[in-house]
Amino acid sequence: MELRGPMSWRMSIRRWEYLVDCALWIRAAERIEVPPHHLVPGPLDLDELPTSTAPGGVPGTEWLGWWLSLVETRRQIPRPEVTLEPADDTPDPLGLAPWPTLRRIVAGRWPEAHEWHLNRQRDGLARHGPVSRATGEIAHQVERSLNRSLRPFSVEFILLPVRDEVIRRVDHERYLVPERVYDSARWTVWLRDLVLRIG
């Protein structure tokens, strides 16, 4: 969902992002140990993990490479020295080609990840409805409090289904936001501070 101010600002909220959600599910399902990185969120917000098909079988560096390619789309991610050939048996052909072990696991688990994602999206829409316009209203409230229009800015928030309360800044235009923060009163406080800073 995209929210805009009159010719000055734009905020985009991406909830139930297909590849992002499924990458998190694969990490959880396969118990992949990922090297520390400031953009890697906490564990998937799931009551019961599916059975792993190859516990410890996927190098965490492969998953991290895939994750960064999904969330850091504005800059080129260093990839292993391999020829990028389409992997026809995967949902993300070029995105997984550099990581053969991960590609094989994802190809086998994709139907489960896809089903989980669809169920999660359906349940989320039933509980929360479409993305709230409250985020845009916060920007309008800041404009009223400042008695002026906000300076032009553009930000994007990718909502993550994780057990974590850390908002991660990808760059000056993109943030990874745990759904549990977005769905709480903390979101209003954090977003108001951000809008005051950048607007």
Side-chain angles (χ1 to χ4, degrees), residues 31 40 108 138 140 154 156 172 190:
R31 297 11 170 219
V40 174
I138 291 167
H140 292 302
S154 175
E156 177 179 61
H172 69 284
W190 182 87

Side-chain angles (χ1 to χ4, degrees), residues 11 133-143 187-189 191-192 195:
M11 289 191 281
R133 295 196 177 273
T135 294
E137 182 52 34
I138 291 167
H140 292 302
Q141 287 172 6
V142 170
E143 284 182 319
W187 173 246
T188 303
V189 174
L191 183 61
R192 184 175 287 117
V195 171

Side-chain angles (χ1 to χ4, degrees), residues 83-115:
T83 303
L84 290 178
E85 295 177 0
D88 296 330
D89 57 349
T90 68
D92 182 22
L94 294 177
L96 287 169
W99 303 289
T101 305
L102 179 63
R103 181 180 65 198
R104 188 178 66 254
I105 295 294
V106 169
R109 304 282 331 239
W110 198 257
E112 292 171 87
H114 176 73
E115 183 180 355

Side-chain angles (χ1 to χ4, degrees), residues 101-175:
T101 305
L102 179 63
R103 181 180 65 198
R104 188 178 66 254
I105 295 294
V106 169
R109 304 282 331 239
W110 198 257
E112 292 171 87
H114 176 73
E115 183 180 355
W116 168 80
H117 174 77
L118 291 180
N119 290 336
R120 188 180 102 69
Q121 186 175 22
R122 186 182 60 246
D123 293 347
L125 282 168
R127 267 196 327 273
H128 304 291
V131 175
S132 168
R133 295 196 177 273
T135 294
E137 182 52 34
I138 291 167
H140 292 302
Q141 287 172 6
V142 170
E143 284 182 319
R144 287 192 293 272
S145 72
L146 296 173
N147 201 27
R148 66 168 174 81
S149 295
L150 293 170
R151 289 185 292 271
F153 68 83
S154 175
V155 290
E156 177 179 61
F157 306 107
I158 302 174
L159 306 187
L160 306 178
V162 293
R163 288 185 178 157
D164 170 331
E165 296 197 355
V166 178
I167 296 173
R168 291 171 168 81
R169 182 176 182 257
V170 178
D171 57 38
H172 69 284
E173 291 187 348
R174 179 176 288 192
Y175 295 84

